């Protein structure tokens, strides 16, 4: 089949790999002019993620790029430690930078897929023979199927299912991340500074100790802004963190020279049905949680399942989409639910909430229980062996 995939971050290249391997004619379209750089670290937990990464042949490449995880050291304004969390709390079994993961998946899929950067879908017209697709560039092409793997603000979901507001729920927080020089003397850990409703953190780049990565999370009602206007996002961050001490002014100064800024709401995506005719959603586009919902591991497993079911069905996309959703909806929702608490956990809105979180995580027994819960959620994802023939 001729299959169009929208999005070249994680879910898109992952399913492009499998579909190309199974002999389908695959095109991936990505709005950005190239693979994105920078970004925060993402992690994999549990045996299911490991098995799929092994079957893709990317596990060794990712291990060579792993960050090793970082201890999270919460400090007060004077730099005095108030709480320390071990590396496995945030890093899971395997942690890599999101950009490194994208590059590895792209390298393993590019020989069996056509990648088109700097373009996007503007119109979808479904009919019995396929889907007519019009692109921003003015190009028009017809595909058998379209996969929306284009994230929280999915264009495919908007065109085929309806407005973003019908499916995306704002969870009361925003997150930002960018790179800057490591002028803080950080070695092998992340420093986290809280005031009610705001978190400012900075961590060292394990492969290049001269570089650091900032992550800010702050409470806010839903904002109206242009997602392509970086200067406007800089202004939002400066206003949200105005007046704070510690290293906050110095970290904000690093915005001006950062090559790329990640800025988005912490939100949750809920779609009643993941497919509509010949269009199907994958990863954050269909069941995302911006951070804390194990979305990266879920997307990798879901890409494996969707591609396997499409090929196993012998071209019956309706049966394949139904099987894909039947297998994944409940375990994916269990993983996704973790994202509901991320903002409140990392940036509690009151001083009492900050103190309560610190006491909770300072208890070794409760900390271990939280780690086990994360492993349990990820282990609920299905892993079927798709015995399909593949071309040599």
């Amino acid at each position: 089949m001729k299959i169009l995939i929208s999005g070249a971050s994680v879910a898109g290249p992952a399913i492009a790999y499998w579909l190309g391997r199974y002999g389908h004619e695959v095109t991936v379209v990505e709005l950005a002019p190239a693979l994105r750089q920078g970004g925060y670290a993402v992690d994999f937990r549990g045996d299911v993620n490991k098995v799929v990464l092994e079957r893709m042949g990317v596990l060794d490449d990712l291990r060579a790029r792993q960050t090793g995880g970082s201890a999270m050291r919460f400090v007060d304004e004077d730099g005095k430690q108030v709480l320390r969390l071990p590396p496995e709390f945030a890093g899971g079994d395997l942690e890599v930078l999101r950009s490194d993961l994208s590059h590895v998946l792209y390298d393993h899929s590019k020989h069996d897929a056509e990648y088109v950067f700097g373009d996007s879908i503007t119109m979808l017209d479904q009919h019995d023979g396929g889907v007519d697709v019009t692109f921003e560039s003015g190009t028009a092409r017809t595909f058998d199927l379209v996969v929306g793997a284009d994230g929280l603000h999915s264009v495919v979901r908007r065109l085929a299912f309806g407005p973003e507001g019908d499916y995306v729920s704002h969870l009361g927080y925003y997150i930002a991340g960018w790179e800057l020089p490591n002028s803080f003397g950080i070695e092998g850990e992340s420093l986290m500074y809280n005031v009610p409703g705001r978190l400012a953190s900075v961590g060292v780049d394990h492969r290049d100790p001269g570089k650091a990565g900032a992550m800010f999370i702050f409470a806010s009602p839903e904002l109206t802004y242009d997602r392509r206007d970086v200067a406007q996002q800089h202004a939002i961050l400066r206003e949200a963190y105005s007046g704070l001490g510690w290293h906050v002014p110095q970290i904000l100064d690093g915005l001006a020279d950062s090559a790329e800024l990640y800025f988005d709401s912490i939100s949750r995506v809920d779609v009643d049905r993941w497919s509509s005719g010949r269009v199907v959603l994958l990863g954050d586009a269909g069941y995302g949680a911006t951070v804390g919902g194990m979305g990266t591991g879920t997307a990798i497993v879901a890409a494996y399942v969707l591609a396997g079911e499409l090929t196993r069905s012998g071209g019956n996309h309706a049966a394949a989409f139904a099987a894909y959703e039947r297998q994944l909806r409940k375990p994916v929702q269990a993983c996704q639910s973790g994202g509901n608490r991320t903002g409140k956990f990392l940036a509690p809105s009151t001083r009492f909430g900050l103190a309560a979180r610190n006491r909770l995580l300072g208890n070794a027994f409760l900390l271990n229980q939280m780690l086990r819960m994360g492993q349990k959620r990820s282990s609920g994802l299905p892993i079927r062996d798709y015995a399909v023939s593949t071309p040599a």
Side-chain angles (χ1 to χ4, degrees):
M1 292 185 288
K2 293 177 64 176
I3 301 176
L4 173 66
I5 300 165
S6 178
S9 179
V10 173
I15 194 168
Y17 166 83
W18 288 112
L19 292 173
R21 177 178 171 181
Y22 294 153
H24 299 289
E25 187 178 336
V26 181
T27 299
V28 183
V29 62
E30 166 60 46
L31 176 62
L35 292 176
R36 298 182 187 276
Q37 304 297 319
Y40 54 83
V42 295
D43 63 90
F44 296 94
R45 299 169 187 262
D47 292 339
V48 175
N49 288 178
K50 179 183 175 182
V51 168
V52 174
L53 293 173
E54 283 180 331
R55 291 181 182 180
M56 293 182 75
V58 302
L59 186 56
D60 289 342
D61 286 347
L62 294 178
R63 282 175 171 160
R65 292 165 173 80
Q66 65 183 328
T67 67
S70 297
M72 299 167 63
R73 187 158 67 92
F74 290 81
V75 298
D76 63 16
E77 188 163 347
D78 297 321
K80 182 181 178 181
Q81 179 174 307
V82 296
L83 174 69
R84 185 182 185 278
L85 299 178
E88 60 269 22
F89 184 84
D93 299 323
L94 172 66
E95 182 185 81
V96 295
L97 295 179
R98 190 179 188 88
S99 57
D100 285 346
L101 175 60
S102 293
H103 279 78
V104 168
L105 295 175
Y106 169 76
D107 287 342
H108 281 258
S109 61
K110 64 183 180 182
H111 301 294
D112 295 313
E114 172 196 11
Y115 277 83
V116 179
F117 289 97
D119 207 350
S120 183
I121 300 169
T122 59
M123 188 177 298
L124 298 172
D125 182 18
Q126 297 194 54
H127 49 82
D128 291 342
V131 187
D132 295 334
V133 181
T134 305
F135 298 90
E136 277 189 5
S137 61
T139 305
R141 297 170 63 179
T142 300
F143 298 87
D144 295 303
L145 304 174
V146 174
V147 180
D150 44 358
L152 189 73
H153 307 290
S154 171
V155 170
V156 170
R157 186 186 61 229
R158 175 173 55 81
L159 293 173
F161 293 77
E164 181 172 305
D166 292 348
Y167 304 105
V168 179
S169 302
H170 178 59
L171 298 179
Y173 285 83
Y174 282 82
I175 180 172
W178 65 96
E179 292 183 346
L180 69 166
N182 180 15
S183 56
F184 310 94
I186 305 170
E187 296 181 3
E189 61 185 0
S190 294
L191 299 180
M192 327 284 283
Y193 170 65
N194 273 125
V195 297
R198 287 175 284 181
L199 168 78
S201 71
V202 61
V204 67
D205 185 322
H206 290 262
R207 290 169 304 175
D208 185 351
K211 294 181 180 180
M215 182 181 74
F216 280 21
I217 293 177
F218 63 96
S220 170
E222 193 165 6
L223 302 173
T224 301
Y225 65 97
D226 184 348
R227 290 193 296 110
R228 300 189 188 186
D229 187 340
V230 177
Q232 187 181 15
Q233 295 164 30
H234 285 192
I236 291 171
L237 283 167
R238 292 185 183 281
E239 181 178 354
Y241 284 82
S242 175
L244 265 64
W246 188 59
H247 294 305
V248 171
Q250 186 179 353
I251 299 171
L252 286 172
D253 286 344
L255 275 171
D257 297 321
S258 61
E260 190 168 330
L261 170 68
Y262 173 85
F263 184 91
D264 211 337
S265 63
I266 296 182
S267 297
R268 176 185 171 116
V269 178
D270 295 286
V271 182
D272 293 340
R273 188 177 178 186
W274 297 345
S275 61
S276 175
R278 293 176 174 269
V279 179
V280 63
L281 301 177
L282 174 67
D284 285 353
Y287 34 85
T290 309
V291 61
M294 300 185 179
T296 304
T298 297
I300 293 290
V301 175
Y304 170 79
V305 172
L306 177 55
E309 291 296 340
L310 277 170
T311 304
R312 202 171 88 154
S313 72
N316 185 340
H317 64 273
F321 292 167
Y324 154 68
E325 184 164 352
R326 189 166 55 247
Q327 288 184 65
L328 288 175
R329 180 170 280 276
K330 286 186 178 180
V332 160
Q333 287 178 331
C335 291
Q336 186 186 28
S337 65
N340 296 344
R341 302 180 293 274
T342 302
K344 296 176 182 178
F345 170 78
L346 288 172
S349 58
T350 65
R351 294 191 180 277
F352 174 80
L354 281 170
R357 181 205 61 191
N358 293 344
R359 284 197 302 272
L360 173 69
L361 294 179
N363 184 304
F365 174 77
L366 293 175
L367 180 61
N368 286 331
Q369 289 298 105
M370 292 180 69
L371 290 171
R372 289 180 181 179
M373 286 174 61
Q375 290 282 3
K376 184 177 180 181
R377 288 204 305 271
S378 64
S379 65
L381 293 167
I383 185 68
R384 174 178 286 178
D385 187 4
Y386 290 99
V388 294
S389 60
T390 60

